[in-house]
Structures are given as structure tokens and as C-alpha cells.
């Protein structure tokens, strides 16, 4: 029990340190690290409940899937797919903005 807690805390601390420097935002790194620590705690509880581990794991996956479905229910997936296809055909980022004459990404649709 003690080794699991120490290793979970070490992993979360390392990721928090890394994300703090990559994202340049302390609050985002703390939120991510806290969420990961909660997931490690939940996994520990599932592992300790040997008799109900499968049931608890199934309920966790069901709850995560339900949360994902509820949070994305108003997304128009067809519009997102259409936007991504047009972005592939004509890239927005050109080297002219950086002072060069050739585009950064060549037009491959021709």
C-alpha cells in the first residue's frame, strides 16, 4: 500500500513538473496532476476490492463513456470532418507570412 502511494505520487509529481514547464501554466499542470492522482486512487480502490474488482472496473468504464457521450452530444461531427478535409486541401500557414516566397506546405491536391 505504501509503495503504491509513493510511486503514484512520484509519477504525478514528475508529470506536474514537466507540464508546468511545457505549458507555461502552473494551474493547468496542477489540475492534470490532481486528476491523475484521483485516477491512481480509484485504481487502487479497485485493486483492493478483489471480489468486486470486475464490477467496479465495468462501472468506471461505463461512467467514463457516459460522461464522454454527454459532453460531446452537441458536437456536429460532420462539420468537424468537413473542416479537416478542407484544411488538408488548402493549408493556411504559408511561408510568406514569415518573409519567404514559397509556401511552407506545398499544395498536393493538384
Amino acid at each position: 500500500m505504501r509503495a503504491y502511494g509513493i510511486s503514484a505520487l512520484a509519477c504525478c509529481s514528475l508529470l506536474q513538473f514537466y507540464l508546468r514547464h511545457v505549458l507555461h501554466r502552473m494551474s493547468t499542470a496542477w489540475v492534470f496532476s490532481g486528476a491523475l492522482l484521483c485516477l491512481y486512487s480509484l485504481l487502487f480502490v479497485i485493486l483492493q476490492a478483489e471480489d468486486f474488482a470486475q464490477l467496479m472496473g465495468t462501472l468506471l468504464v461505463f461512467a467514463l463513456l457516459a460522461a464522454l457521450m454527454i459532453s460531446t452530444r452537441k458536437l456536429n461531427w460532420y462539420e468537424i470532418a468537413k473542416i479537416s478535409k478542407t484544411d488538408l486541401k488548402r493549408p493556411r500557414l504559408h511561408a510568406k507570412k514569415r518573409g519567404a516566397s514559397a509556401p511552407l506546405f506545398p499544395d498536393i491536391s493538384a
Side-chain angles (χ1 to χ4, degrees):
M1 179 172 155
R2 178 176 264 171
Y4 185 88
I6 291 171
S7 63
L9 190 61
C11 288
C12 291
S13 299
L14 180 63
L15 284 171
Q16 190 272 336
F17 173 78
Y18 178 76
L19 288 174
R20 180 179 54 183
H21 291 286
V22 169
L23 300 175
H24 303 291
R25 294 185 67 193
M26 181 78 104
S27 60
T28 307
W30 278 109
V31 167
F32 183 83
S33 180
L36 191 61
L37 196 59
C38 288
L39 286 175
Y40 274 128
S41 301
L42 187 60
L43 183 61
F44 180 75
V45 169
I46 289 173
L47 289 173
Q48 291 298 312
E50 295 173 4
D51 295 335
F52 297 105
Q54 187 175 9
L55 175 64
M56 292 174 66
T58 304
L59 290 175
L60 174 66
V61 169
F62 179 80
L64 290 175
L65 182 62
L68 181 69
M69 290 173 69
I70 290 169
S71 63
T72 60
R73 71 183 181 271
K74 293 186 179 181
L75 281 179
N76 186 352
W77 294 103
Y78 297 107
E79 186 67 28
I80 293 171
K82 186 191 308 183
I83 290 171
S84 66
K85 285 181 184 178
T86 58
D87 284 347
L88 289 175
K89 289 181 182 174
R90 25 181 194 109
R92 294 183 207 169
L93 184 60
H94 289 285
K96 287 183 180 179
K97 293 180 182 177
R98 297 181 305 160
S101 60
L104 184 62
F105 300 109
D107 187 14
I108 59 172
S109 63

